[in-house]
Amino acid sequence: MQGKHDPDGFEQMSPVPGAERGSGQSDGPDAGRGSGQGKRARTNPKPLSFRTAGSGLSLKMRAVGLLSRREHSRAELARKLAPYVDADNPDELKQVLDALERENWQSDARFAQSLIHRRAPRKGTALVIQELRQHGLPDDQITQIREQLRGTEFERARTVWQHKFNRAPADRADYARQFRFLASRGFSSDCLRRILGEQDSGTLDE
């Protein structure tokens, strides 16, 4: 570093470039960034228990939440709760389901009637029974429900036919089209032949 003389004989020193910034201890906005002591370095992550607190519901509370939305069969409820069962307590699921049934939170009979109320006006006995089986209802209940639905099958099929067609088939092709539509809704062939046979059968000979 070189100096220069002023008129009074004192040597003036030239400033060292960058010296005014100090030795890295500046209190400017970038202070501490180089030493890893900035905001990001000082922020500690939340404990794992905080981040997973949303999954801390008990098995019974999860079940009550599901049942408060709509009726569930026991088998359906067990399937939805299975991922949350404690591996160290595998018997918990059965205990919860038994308690819910005992306290009348869950009822297979009530679930069946709810499903029938929603499905039977638009679907035949075969499809309603198929759905009940998928929900794991016991065979004795299904047998009773099947007989109940068979007693109203013809009237229900006729109502669906009236909403969709409400006219005699124009020819054999039209007869087949109407028959296929009602059969796809799960109504029995006997009911469909009765409904379509009540129409002007003379049109089918054209």
Side-chain angles (χ1 to χ4, degrees):
M1 177 170 56
Q2 295 180 351
K4 57 182 178 179
H5 293 276
D6 63 9
D8 296 324
F10 293 100
E11 185 179 22
Q12 295 180 337
M13 306 299 295
S14 300
V16 177
E20 68 274 9
R21 296 180 185 176
S23 59
Q25 301 298 322
S26 169
D27 57 357
D30 294 332
R33 181 170 297 179
S35 59
Q37 299 299 319
K39 285 186 177 181
R40 186 167 300 177
R42 291 196 303 267
T43 301
N44 296 323
K46 291 182 179 180
L48 183 62
S49 60
F50 288 173
R51 288 181 290 173
T52 60
S55 61
L57 292 175
S58 70
L59 206 60
K60 187 171 184 179
M61 288 305 297
R62 289 184 183 277
V64 170
L66 292 169
L67 291 168
S68 66
R69 297 182 182 95
R70 67 166 176 83
E71 300 287 354
H72 285 65
S73 69
R74 181 183 176 107
E76 180 187 18
L77 198 58
R79 185 168 61 251
K80 290 185 177 182
L81 294 176
Y84 304 100
V85 175
D86 186 352
D88 296 330
N89 186 15
D91 295 332
E92 181 187 14
L93 180 58
K94 182 180 183 303
Q95 295 168 359
V96 167
L97 293 173
D98 288 344
L100 292 168
E101 187 174 352
R102 186 170 57 250
E103 298 165 10
N104 204 32
W105 277 100
Q106 189 277 325
S107 165
D108 276 350
R110 199 166 60 234
F111 165 79
Q113 291 305 313
S114 173
L115 187 142
I116 291 169
H117 178 74
R118 289 182 282 119
R119 300 288 191 264
R122 303 186 308 276
K123 294 185 177 181
T125 300
L127 286 185
V128 176
I129 293 300
Q130 178 182 342
E131 188 168 356
L132 290 172
R133 286 192 183 281
Q134 291 172 350
H135 283 283
L137 262 69
D139 290 339
D140 57 339
Q141 285 190 9
I142 287 181
T143 299
Q144 181 180 356
I145 292 169
R146 181 188 290 111
E147 294 306 313
Q148 172 189 342
L149 291 172
R150 282 176 175 172
T152 61
E153 174 111 337
F154 177 79
E155 290 79 7
R156 291 184 288 112
R158 187 183 179 90
T159 299
V160 171
W161 173 82
Q162 288 173 335
H163 288 166
K164 179 66 176 179
F165 302 105
N166 200 27
R167 59 172 177 77
D171 51 31
R172 293 189 181 278
D174 193 27
Y175 180 100
R177 184 171 69 89
Q178 293 190 25
F179 194 99
R180 284 195 303 270
F181 173 82
L182 294 170
S184 71
R185 298 300 187 270
F187 295 107
S188 69
S189 298
D190 289 342
C191 284
L192 305 190
R193 282 191 289 266
R194 285 179 59 192
I195 293 170
L196 298 178
E198 287 181 351
Q199 313 310 314
D200 186 6
S201 59
T203 60
L204 302 182
D205 297 329
E206 296 177 355

